[in-house]
Amino acid sequence: MTRECSPIADTTSTFEEVCYLLWFGRLPKVDELKALKQRLADERKLDASIINLLQLAPKDALPMDVLRTLVSALSFYDPDFDRSNSDHDANVNKAIRLTSQIAMIVANYDRIRKGKPVVEPDRSLSHAANFLLMLNGTAPSKTAERALDIALILHADHELNASTFAARITAATLSDMHSAVTSAIGTLKGPLHGGANEAVFKILEDIDATGADPIEYVKAMLAQKKKIPGFGHRVYHAEDPRATHLRQMSRDLGQASGDPKWFEMSQEIEDFVKAEKKLNANVDFYSASTYHTLGIDVDLFTAIFAVSRVGGWTAHVIEQLDDNRLIRPRADYIGPVYPQKYVAAEKR
Ligand SMILES: CC(C)(COP(=O)(O)OP(=O)(O)OC[C@H]1O[C@@H](n2cnc3c(N)ncnc32)[C@H](O)[C@@H]1OP(=O)(O)O)[C@@H](O)C(=O)NCCC(=O)NCCS
């Protein structure tokens, strides 16, 4: 069954415009957008020590682990690091800088681990096009640039999801932007959150490699009480609206590339899981086949989620630090038996 939606591809919005909306609270005028694009482009630079650290990372380290470690290290070289955490302008500067730097770290690490030279940024390109250039070494086609840009728009922010919550909690202790984004990256990594897109593609790859029937494969997972990555959502009970656009993008890219099998396999699984378990596809399900068709390695999928979501994380941190209050939820922690009297170790 093919589902239609009004294609986001027909809009003229860009990831940069969405970042403006998130950081400044409204859509930009033409000259404001131009100025933000310029600021993002100007921040396409990494301290030599960061490149050094990337080169020192084990070549088999997961991109998300490298990103988490390197974002933490970026704070050492941030010109606004010493300004107060509640300094709004400094936090906006950090948001812009981190957005440019995170994309560069992901692209640079992928090249370094493959023994390829890092690619210099091109400051005349959009955020999406520059990322693909730095990743692949060649300027992307207009179709690839637009597809990635749309994926970045769709992933940029999403209410109080787990990683954004982690970022806000960290910021709310009056810690700083880099610590908050580092917490968020560690949180995004898990397969119940951003890591689900990688898990989806590993299933598609396994089905393809073994020649298994997609429905039988998923049935077997359900029989073993395994969760199917890319389905279900804590908040949505109807379809995740982002999945609607990503499904269409996966289909269009599959057709355009002459390799529609990943989309077709995904759709077969989706129809079965929906009918059998009444579960809808979420943002991660079709982003897997979309990224693969764009030629991106599977272990970069979650890192690309971070390339986009940094826009939302930083917007939340700016808001939190503009008017801070400690976030301190209560929990039903079971913990050790209570009450317990303290007895010296030798008398226990
Ligand atoms: C997103 C997710 C963590 C939400 O979890 P949740 O709100 O806690 O929902 P629950 O885990 O309580 O699930 C409710 C029921 O639906 C089932 N379910 C939820 N997601 C499922 C999935 N992906 N595959 C199979 N069953 C699923 C659960 O097994 C549970 O069934 P039960 O009541 O018979 O035990 C969960 O749907 C999931 O693990 N999805 C897969 C990972 C994923 O795609 N994450 C990205 C989210 S954007």
Side-chain angles (χ1 to χ4, degrees):
M1 192 194 347
T2 303
R3 298 160 188 82
E4 297 297 333
C5 62
S6 61
I8 194 172
D10 290 351
T11 70
T12 55
S13 189
T14 57
F15 176 66
E16 289 90 329
E17 186 177 56
V18 172
C19 285
Y20 190 102
L21 178 65
L22 290 167
W23 295 330
F24 301 103
R26 62 173 173 81
L27 285 168
K29 299 196 169 84
V30 173
D31 56 333
E32 292 170 328
L33 179 57
K34 198 170 158 211
L36 179 63
K37 283 183 173 173
Q38 190 59 51
R39 284 185 74 186
L40 281 160
D42 290 345
E43 293 297 351
R44 284 178 195 152
K45 48 191 180 212
L46 291 173
D47 192 278
S49 313
I50 295 292
I51 302 286
N52 218 357
L53 280 172
L54 280 171
Q55 278 157 342
L56 288 172
K59 300 288 170 281
D60 58 352
L62 287 175
M64 280 300 275
D65 292 339
V66 173
L67 186 61
R68 184 200 57 224
T69 304
L70 270 286
V71 165
S72 177
L74 283 174
S75 68
F76 303 139
Y77 312 102
D78 192 290
D80 289 301
F81 193 68
D82 289 336
R83 287 168 71 181
S84 129
N85 292 325
S86 56
D87 184 328
H88 177 90
D89 292 343
N91 286 330
V92 173
N93 293 343
K94 288 178 196 172
I96 293 172
R97 217 168 272 135
L98 275 166
T99 301
S100 293
Q101 291 169 326
I102 282 183
M104 293 180 73
I105 287 174
V106 173
N108 282 350
Y109 174 63
D110 189 54
R111 293 191 67 85
I112 289 170
R113 70 176 172 164
K114 289 175 176 161
K116 295 178 180 172
V118 297
V119 175
E120 284 304 308
D122 180 339
R123 295 189 174 81
S124 69
L125 295 181
S126 71
H127 192 71
N130 181 64
F131 174 73
L132 289 171
L133 167 77
M134 293 187 69
L135 187 69
N136 299 324
T138 49
S141 68
K142 281 285 162 212
T143 312
E145 175 186 359
R146 189 64 189 140
L148 181 67
D149 202 21
I150 291 167
L152 297 180
I153 291 172
L154 292 171
H155 286 82
D157 187 39
H158 201 233
E159 199 219 34
L160 202 62
N161 58 87
S163 56
T164 302
F165 187 46
R168 279 193 96 124
I169 290 212
T170 303
T173 66
L174 292 182
S175 182
D176 60 276
M177 177 71 84
H178 287 80
S179 301
V181 174
T182 305
S183 298
I185 292 170
T187 310
L188 184 72
K189 178 185 162 187
L192 294 189
H193 189 11
N197 56 12
E198 293 183 18
V200 170
F201 198 73
K202 284 180 186 147
I203 289 176
L204 298 180
E205 253 181 339
D206 199 27
I207 291 173
D208 187 53
T210 58
D213 176 71
I215 294 178
E216 293 306 322
Y217 190 99
V218 170
K219 259 190 197 166
M221 284 182 76
L222 291 175
Q224 294 165 48
K225 303 262 174 257
K226 288 188 180 156
K227 295 249 180 87
I228 314 296
F231 288 91
H233 199 274
R234 176 60 62 82
V235 178
Y236 293 122
H237 295 295
E239 175 158 296
D240 179 339
R242 300 165 300 174
T244 318
H245 294 289
L246 284 158
R247 179 189 299 108
Q248 183 158 332
M249 203 151 77
S250 164
R251 184 187 60 197
D252 292 350
L253 283 173
Q255 277 167 0
S257 69
D259 185 16
K261 79 174 167 198
W262 304 104
F263 170 74
E264 286 165 3
M265 212 189 289
S266 303
Q267 199 166 43
E268 222 182 312
I269 293 172
E270 183 192 15
D271 287 341
F272 172 75
V273 174
K274 199 169 164 60
E276 186 75 12
K277 292 285 292 178
K278 311 265 174 301
L279 284 168
N280 290 301
N282 59 44
V283 67
D284 294 301
F285 190 63
Y286 282 101
S287 58
S289 45
T290 297
Y291 291 152
H292 174 73
T293 313
L294 285 174
I296 294 169
D297 287 356
V298 62
D299 67 354
L300 289 177
F301 290 4
T302 312
I304 289 174
F305 196 150
V307 166
S308 164
R309 185 55 63 86
V310 64
W313 291 331
T314 50
H316 280 261
V317 172
I318 292 167
E319 183 178 275
Q320 186 68 40
L321 291 173
D322 277 351
D323 184 15
N324 189 59
R325 187 158 188 239
L326 181 77
I327 301 171
R328 171 56 164 92
R330 303 300 306 274
D332 283 335
Y333 169 58
I334 308 290
V337 178
Y338 180 84
Q340 267 194 65
K341 214 169 164 336
Y342 181 78
V343 179
E346 58 278 12
K347 294 194 179 152
R348 281 175 215 158

